[in-house]
Amino acid sequence: MQPSASETAYLTVKEMIVTGELPGGELVSEGDIAGRMDVSRTPVREAFLRLQVEGWMRLYPKRGALVVPIAPGEAEHIVSARWLVESGSVRTVVADRRARTELVTDLRANLERQRTIAASGTAAEFSAADADFHRLIVRSGRNPLLDAFYDGLRERQRRMTTHSLSRDPGQVERIIDDHARLTDHIEAGDADGFASDVDSHMRRVHRLNEEGRQ
């Protein structure tokens, strides 16, 4: 079943925001986006309203829509939430040898995808693979409530990662090395080592200092 025009507009505009094509602080109009997508303004207007509800945009009648920038402290809050969910999921999965083996296999396959993208892909593609790596870890804990919670963070995580890569494209290789180390911790059943290193990894990628600001 094909998505509706408004759903397509919503997904397209959200991806533009997540990947930085529409940067935070930019004011855009329904007409601008409709022209880019070659659609009428109606589905774009519906998409803007939905994105405002989700906190991605702020609408100003007769002026346009402001792309809401990453707020001060948002990165710290997202990293803290991710750390709690991911470290808890790993503590669950390392107690189950079969589940741990399956997760490690999936993570190593994802790592190969990351390496391929690093060689010939885009920052947007890499941020998606990065988010998928961490989501595999959460899903291994088999807690549907945490899965849903983490999925709600995924696009904000991608936006932060794409922003970080735009500042320092060279850190892609460091991210892959970190992911390989995290996978090794899981394979070894070392939940404490994972918890420590995933915190350092996320803070380094997003340049969080002790006060939690980027």
Side-chain angles (χ1 to χ4, degrees):
M1 182 177 178
Q2 291 292 329
S4 66
S6 60
E7 179 71 12
T8 299
Y10 163 77
L11 293 173
T12 300
V13 177
K14 189 173 185 178
E15 185 70 7
M16 288 179 178
I17 296 171
V18 167
T19 61
E21 185 176 345
L22 292 177
E26 182 167 311
L27 193 67
V28 297
S29 71
E30 294 172 5
D32 291 337
I33 300 301
R36 292 195 204 187
M37 296 183 62
D38 194 24
V39 297
S40 71
R41 292 190 178 197
T42 300
V44 176
R45 184 178 305 118
E46 292 171 354
F48 279 14
L49 288 168
R50 186 171 170 186
L51 289 163
Q52 177 174 244
V53 170
E54 294 181 359
W56 294 97
M57 285 183 149
R58 190 174 299 128
L59 305 187
Y60 295 95
K62 300 182 180 180
R63 291 181 56 198
L66 177 74
V67 179
V68 176
I70 299 172
E74 180 179 343
E76 171 68 27
H77 295 153
I78 291 174
V79 164
S80 296
R82 287 179 54 200
W83 181 84
L84 286 169
V85 176
E86 290 189 45
S87 60
S89 296
V90 167
R91 291 191 185 281
T92 297
V93 78
V94 297
D96 183 332
R97 183 178 295 275
R98 181 175 178 180
R100 185 173 70 197
T101 299
E102 290 176 355
L103 174 59
V104 168
T105 298
D106 290 341
L107 292 177
R108 295 208 187 283
N110 179 275
L111 277 166
E112 287 306 308
R113 181 179 163 216
Q114 290 178 46
R115 294 185 179 104
T116 298
I117 294 171
S120 59
T122 66
E125 290 171 331
F126 187 83
S127 73
D130 167 80
D132 289 343
F133 176 89
H134 290 278
R135 186 164 59 178
L136 283 168
I137 292 169
V138 175
R139 287 189 171 173
S140 72
R142 298 178 183 177
N143 184 322
L145 295 179
L146 291 181
D147 284 352
F149 171 74
Y150 197 87
D151 280 347
L153 298 177
R154 183 177 189 273
E155 300 311 321
R156 297 187 185 281
Q157 174 188 344
R158 283 189 61 209
R159 187 188 195 191
M160 287 165 47
T161 301
T162 303
H163 180 64
S164 295
L165 292 178
S166 70
R167 294 181 305 193
D168 180 12
Q171 71 174 315
V172 166
E173 294 300 328
R174 295 194 295 274
I175 290 173
I176 293 173
D177 288 344
D178 283 354
H179 287 171
R181 189 175 304 109
L182 294 173
T183 302
D184 290 342
H185 281 311
I186 294 170
E187 186 171 37
D190 183 6
D192 289 338
F194 175 90
S196 176
D197 279 357
V198 77
D199 182 67
S200 299
H201 161 67
M202 291 188 290
R203 291 180 178 281
R204 182 166 54 250
V205 170
H206 302 301
R207 294 186 179 181
L208 293 177
N209 60 22
E210 291 181 0
E211 289 76 34
R213 294 189 296 269
Q214 287 185 294

